Amino acid sequence: MREVPGEAPATRAWTTWTTRLLILGIVLAAVNLRPAITSLGALLEEVRDGLGMSGSIAGLLTSVPPLCFAVFGVTAPRLARRFGPGAVVCAGMVAITAGLLIRPYAGGTGGFLAATALALMGIAVSNVLMPVIVKRYFPDRVGSMTGLYSMALAVGTSVAAAATVPVTNALGGHWQPGLAVWAVLPALAVVPWIPFVRNREAPTSTASSAPSPRRESEQAAEKPAEQPPLRITRSRTAWALAVFFGLQATAAYITMGWMAQIFRDSGVSAGTAGLLLAVIMVMGVPLAFVIPRVATRLPHQGPIVLVLGVCGLAGYAGLYFAPVGGAWAWALLLGVSNCAFPLALTMVGMRARTGAGVAQLSAFAQSTGYLISIPGPLLVGVLYQHSGGWGLPIALMSALMVPQIVVGVMAGRDRTVEDEAAR
């Protein structure tokens, strides 16, 4: 290895170890950002029966994730400035662990919702800070690192969807331990973040072994630009990205909360319905790694938005006309469409030039987006209960895909929020 002037061997070893530990922490944190939701979706019927929930209350339950993400996500940048992003993510993993352990045994619908909200609070702040941490620690690898944690997120989502029913059966068939077992993963994810609780500065060796004079000048020039907060609401791109984020989140949480039930009501067994949901989620494993890398190489991400939207429309059409006969094909198509999430995260990192800009844009797009997505899962539950079938809910899902494509194309234009907010 070539010696870097002025750099002690112990320092090089420490920064290499720190970088690897940070990557491990990002991956483990991402794995835990969805199992709290998809594990519940796989056992929603059992939870409804056990707690005596109506269809409307179950719809409210599936709307809790975006509500918590909107309410708590907006606090993430402020918490990160005060305590450091590593400390906030570490606390988030602790909150997820506690919430998942408590909720199956909280007793009653109110306690179940409160414990779920605790877990979702931890997910919310981690959601917002993941793009910030990537931009801050890996500024030259935004696409690849976004792809890595998006892929890890998809793995956690799909594994929870596929394994919850078999694990529940192995634990005696009761839904309580089947949900509580998912607290193990966030408990493990706490460990790699502990060294970053007090570390608020990005190590200079994450992007390269030693900062070049050009890099140092770029960082020096960037520092003053990060201090004044942006008037983010003046940016059309920020609004387009927020609405795109909200509509893709609506589709995602309807899928995670209701898709297994749609297949079960069509005559598919509980285990197979869980596998179909897992197929939808597992499509994000390869695509969540590929899409961000492709997106960062394109000047305009509109074509990717269009492809994902068309796949979603085709999947919903198939689900309406032949829910059982073509179930696996519709799951594949909806899985491709569901990859709008890593695309949205990638665009968050691309539509701002500075770390502070990414933090503001991430908080604004995700908090506003999740607020937009709140009525969707609840409305699906109400339509299902009052219509007695899935025709109207599927029509709603299809209709929402059209504006998602439109605003996604607008958000994909080669612009930055700093330029627009300054006008």
Side-chain angles (χ1 to χ4, degrees):
M1 179 183 294
R2 182 176 62 85
E3 293 294 326
V4 179
E7 182 183 22
T11 302
R12 288 201 308 274
W14 186 86
T15 53
T16 300
W17 176 83
T18 302
T19 301
R20 291 173 180 172
L21 188 64
L22 179 61
I23 292 173
L24 176 63
I26 289 171
V27 169
L28 289 179
V31 166
N32 286 284
L33 296 182
R34 293 299 178 270
I37 303 165
T38 51
S39 61
L40 176 59
L43 294 176
L44 185 58
E45 185 172 314
E46 288 75 11
V47 174
R48 285 176 59 189
D49 293 341
L51 298 178
M53 290 184 186
S54 66
S56 298
I57 296 298
L60 176 62
L61 181 61
T62 57
S63 292
V64 168
L67 174 62
C68 290
F69 293 167
V71 171
F72 298 118
V74 74
T75 67
R78 187 179 308 150
L79 292 172
R81 285 194 298 270
R82 181 171 181 181
F83 302 105
V88 177
V89 173
C90 186
M93 295 299 110
V94 173
I96 297 170
T97 304
L100 294 185
L101 274 176
I102 295 169
R103 76 172 179 178
Y105 307 103
T109 301
F112 189 93
L113 287 171
T116 298
L118 175 61
L120 294 172
M121 176 177 65
I123 296 174
V125 294
S126 301
N127 266 338
V128 171
L129 292 181
M130 282 293 124
V132 177
I133 288 171
V134 167
K135 184 76 169 182
R136 182 177 186 178
Y137 288 86
F138 304 94
D140 300 327
R141 290 181 278 169
V142 170
S144 59
M145 288 303 300
T146 301
L148 179 63
Y149 81 73
S150 297
M151 184 173 66
L153 188 151
V155 168
T157 305
S158 56
V159 167
T164 296
V165 171
V167 167
T168 301
N169 293 335
L171 294 175
H174 301 292
W175 61 267
Q176 289 91 342
L179 291 182
V181 71
W182 295 104
V184 174
L185 290 178
L188 294 175
V190 171
V191 179
W193 286 101
I194 293 174
F196 299 97
V197 168
R198 293 179 177 271
N199 182 13
R200 303 188 187 189
E201 298 300 326
T204 57
S205 61
T206 52
S208 60
S209 60
S212 64
R214 179 183 175 185
R215 181 67 187 158
E216 287 179 338
S217 65
E218 287 175 354
Q219 289 174 344
E222 183 178 324
K223 243 181 182 180
E226 287 186 340
Q227 293 175 357
L230 296 172
R231 296 181 179 179
I232 200 76
T233 55
R234 298 178 63 177
S235 168
R236 293 183 179 180
T237 297
W239 279 108
L241 189 52
V243 176
F244 176 68
F245 200 99
L247 291 174
Q248 68 81 27
T250 299
Y253 289 109
I254 289 173
T255 298
M256 286 186 279
W258 289 109
M259 196 57 64
Q261 192 66 50
I262 292 174
F263 284 121
R264 289 178 72 169
D265 287 351
S266 300
V268 176
S269 67
T272 302
L275 286 175
L276 287 166
L277 179 59
V279 166
I280 296 175
M281 301 304 161
V282 82
M283 290 298 295
V285 176
L287 292 179
F289 189 72
V290 172
I291 288 175
R293 295 172 69 89
V294 174
T296 55
R297 287 169 169 79
L298 296 176
H300 195 310
Q301 290 73 48
I304 304 177
V305 172
L306 183 61
V307 170
L308 299 182
V310 170
C311 287
L313 290 172
Y316 289 135
L319 197 62
Y320 182 86
F321 291 107
V324 178
W328 296 100
W330 317 142
L332 288 171
L333 286 169
L334 291 173
V336 174
S337 179
N338 208 46
C339 289
F341 176 71
L343 177 61
L345 291 179
T346 305
M347 288 196 287
V348 167
M350 296 177 68
R351 296 287 88 88
R353 288 195 304 267
T354 66
V358 171
Q360 279 191 258
L361 179 58
S362 180
F364 175 75
Q366 293 200 45
S367 296
T368 305
Y370 284 127
L371 279 174
I372 292 170
S373 70
I374 290 171
L378 176 60
L379 187 55
V380 165
V382 172
L383 289 175
Y384 169 62
Q385 181 173 351
H386 289 281
S387 67
W390 289 106
L392 285 178
I394 292 173
L396 172 66
M397 299 178 215
S398 301
L400 291 176
M401 189 59 65
V402 177
Q404 177 179 321
I405 294 172
V406 173
V407 294
V409 170
M410 292 175 61
R413 295 175 297 179
D414 188 13
R415 302 181 181 185
T416 63
V417 293
E418 285 91 350
D419 292 336
E420 294 182 340
R423 293 173 186 171

